[in-house]
Amino acid sequence: MRKALTVVAVVLVLLLIGGSAIQWLRTAENSPLGAAPGQDTERTPGDEPLPQEPDWCPAVEVISAPGTWESSATDDPFNPQANPLSFMLSITQPLQAAYDINDVRVWTLPYTAQFQSVQSRGEMTYDDSRNEGTAKVNGELAHIANTCHSTEFILAGFSQGAVILGDVANEIGTGHGAVPADRVRGVALIADGRRENGVGQNPGVELGGIGAEIALQPIDALVQFITPGASMRGPREGGFGALDGVVQEICAPSDAICDAPQDIGNGLGRAQELLAANGVHAQYASNGQVIPGTTANQWVVDWAHGLINQG
């Protein structure tokens, strides 16, 4: 009986991970997308001077990563149209309105953004979708870093996009990324499925849970049986390394994606709690209980303004 209850719990959590984003209702120059990660831009004495930057090089590039079903592989990274209700548009559109693209380039990750589950067998698997997204982000980072030697970066992502950018921040912060850590001004991860308490900074209320990918890792074999291609990878080895002080982990209390109970796979009671909390994941633009006095998207917009205007 206990095994059966565990299966029910896992199925419900997987549906949460792959399905919550579709409930979202928000209130409110060219690059080689598949390029390989770039080389370190530091130079040793005696090297030839760096080539002059193109006129279009911005001071800052903001890289935005939407969540599941909020993007497509063919979307326009400067004018995303795949999902007009994408949560990340409530952050990127105000930034695009505030700055000229030659000063602040806002680039939205175009990736498949799918999650194959018991309800969507024809979609790309979670592993393949996030691997595609990670490769494209690293390609964009490398392209801009190698072309525009003074450009610095701000990263912001939601849900599956937060997992992708959290993984990219982990690579950069531990010295294995597409750009050096000192070229990243800040990272905002909203509803990160690999969130850990004490890793990165929490600008919101105190949380007791952990990311669903960490909570489910001990029963990953069962997850794979139910939903092949959705690996629960646990915590990020090395955390955010040198970037720990500039990574903001934003999570709503009881959002089962980022604030899951640590014994998530142990029974029907936990499954019922997670199902009841399903709607929380879709309310970051209106939920005033995440960061007191504001909403998550407005906080990120203000935070980004501050990083951009610091010079």
Side-chain angles (χ1 to χ4, degrees):
M1 179 64 178
R2 181 168 180 167
K3 182 177 180 181
L5 295 180
T6 300
V7 171
V8 171
V10 174
V11 169
L12 290 174
V13 174
L14 291 173
L15 293 178
L16 284 171
I17 295 173
S20 295
I22 201 168
Q23 300 180 25
W24 179 258
L25 294 174
R26 73 176 172 87
T27 57
E29 250 160 307
N30 300 320
S31 65
L33 299 178
Q39 302 299 314
D40 189 272
T41 57
E42 296 181 3
R43 304 179 68 82
T44 58
D47 285 348
E48 292 296 322
L50 292 171
Q52 185 174 354
E53 293 185 343
D55 291 340
W56 58 263
C57 282
V60 176
E61 171 157 282
V62 177
I63 290 182
S64 167
T68 305
W69 299 321
E70 293 189 345
S71 185
S72 78
T74 59
D75 208 3
D76 182 346
F78 302 106
N79 184 29
Q81 301 289 316
N83 185 341
L85 299 181
S86 169
F87 170 74
M88 289 305 299
L89 291 177
S90 68
I91 294 170
T92 57
Q93 288 178 342
L95 294 177
Q96 287 178 307
Y99 302 100
D100 186 276
I101 192 173
N102 293 311
D103 296 322
V104 178
R105 169 179 160 123
V106 179
W107 185 91
T108 295
L109 169 65
Y111 75 116
T112 303
Q114 292 181 353
F115 187 103
Q116 186 183 107
S117 72
V118 293
Q119 291 184 325
S120 54
R121 292 293 187 185
E123 293 194 352
M124 180 181 282
T125 68
Y126 180 49
D127 289 348
D128 288 344
S129 182
R130 66 185 173 190
N131 287 344
E132 176 193 288
T134 300
K136 286 188 172 183
V137 169
N138 281 329
E140 174 67 6
L141 284 168
H143 167 65
I144 297 301
N146 291 332
T147 305
C148 304
H149 306 293
S150 63
T151 298
E152 296 182 347
F153 300 93
I154 296 171
L155 314 181
F158 171 65
S159 196
Q160 185 176 166
V163 173
I164 289 170
L165 293 187
D167 294 349
V168 169
N170 162 260
E171 293 172 356
I172 294 172
T174 56
H176 305 291
V179 299
D182 61 7
R183 294 190 67 173
V184 178
R185 293 192 182 184
V187 182
L189 307 177
I190 305 162
D192 172 19
R194 301 183 76 183
R195 190 193 67 82
E196 292 181 87
N197 289 316
V199 178
Q201 310 303 307
N202 176 15
V205 299
E206 185 176 350
L207 300 163
I210 53 179
E213 285 199 39
I214 301 175
L216 287 171
Q217 187 187 34
I219 51 173
D220 183 62
L222 178 57
V223 172
Q224 291 295 314
F225 178 77
I226 298 170
T227 310
S231 300
M232 301 292 104
R233 296 175 295 168
R236 297 179 177 99
E237 185 176 353
F240 298 119
L243 291 182
D244 188 79
V246 301
V247 175
Q248 310 296 325
E249 283 276 19
I250 300 170
C251 177
S254 299
D255 180 353
I257 306 305
C258 54
D259 189 32
Q262 300 198 30
D263 58 346
I264 202 169
N266 289 346
L268 185 59
R270 288 303 188 190
Q272 291 172 329
E273 289 179 25
L274 293 169
L275 188 60
N278 188 24
V280 175
H281 191 68
Q283 297 172 356
Y284 278 92
S286 58
N287 188 347
Q289 305 304 310
V290 183
I291 303 175
T294 187
T295 56
N297 55 334
Q298 186 58 55
W299 188 92
V300 173
V301 170
D302 294 341
W303 165 84
H305 280 309
L307 293 177
I308 291 166
N309 295 336
Q310 73 183 19

